[in-house]
Amino acid sequence: MKKPDRKKQRKALAKGKKKAAKELLKKRQRKLKRQARLAENIEERKMKKQTFELEDKVRRIQNKGLTIRKNKEQPIDE
């Protein structure tokens, strides 16, 4: 039975460690990008919600104004 080549084993181990470190670095970068994108999406959703709420308030105020005007224009028969 042939003895294992220690030099080749060490090289393979070093190569594996480098590859693992590289993958870990890529994983961290992807995680940071994903978190940034998520934070951006959350901010965007908050802004859309605020815009919708403000538009809704404006619409309600305008509708109130229209109903008040309609009531004033109608003659009261009493």
Side-chain angles (χ1 to χ4, degrees), residues 13 32 59 62 64 68 73:
L13 186 64
L32 290 173
R59 186 179 49 79
Q62 288 175 343
K64 276 186 182 177
I68 291 170
E73 290 172 5

Side-chain angles (χ1 to χ4, degrees), residues 6-18:
R6 301 285 182 206
K7 191 174 183 181
K8 281 186 180 178
Q9 284 182 341
R10 278 193 225 110
K11 279 187 178 181
L13 186 64
K15 187 177 180 184
K17 285 182 179 178
K18 284 181 186 176

Side-chain angles (χ1 to χ4, degrees), residues 3-44:
K3 285 186 177 180
D5 190 354
R6 301 285 182 206
K7 191 174 183 181
K8 281 186 180 178
Q9 284 182 341
R10 278 193 225 110
K11 279 187 178 181
L13 186 64
K15 187 177 180 184
K17 285 182 179 178
K18 284 181 186 176
K19 192 173 182 180
K22 195 174 181 181
E23 283 295 318
L24 190 64
L25 183 66
K26 282 184 181 179
K27 204 174 189 180
R28 285 183 187 151
Q29 289 173 342
R30 276 188 240 122
K31 185 178 180 181
L32 290 173
K33 281 183 184 178
R34 187 176 65 236
Q35 286 175 341
R37 221 176 13 252
L38 183 66
E40 191 175 292
N41 289 344
I42 289 171
E43 287 296 319
E44 194 172 308

Side-chain angles (χ1 to χ4, degrees), residues 34-65:
R34 187 176 65 236
Q35 286 175 341
R37 221 176 13 252
L38 183 66
E40 191 175 292
N41 289 344
I42 289 171
E43 287 296 319
E44 194 172 308
R45 272 188 259 132
K46 280 183 181 177
M47 290 184 343
K48 282 183 180 179
K49 185 178 179 183
Q50 286 177 345
T51 305
F52 176 76
E53 287 173 353
L54 290 173
E55 287 174 350
D56 192 42
K57 283 182 182 177
V58 168
R59 186 179 49 79
R60 287 182 184 184
I61 291 171
Q62 288 175 343
N63 286 343
K64 276 186 182 177

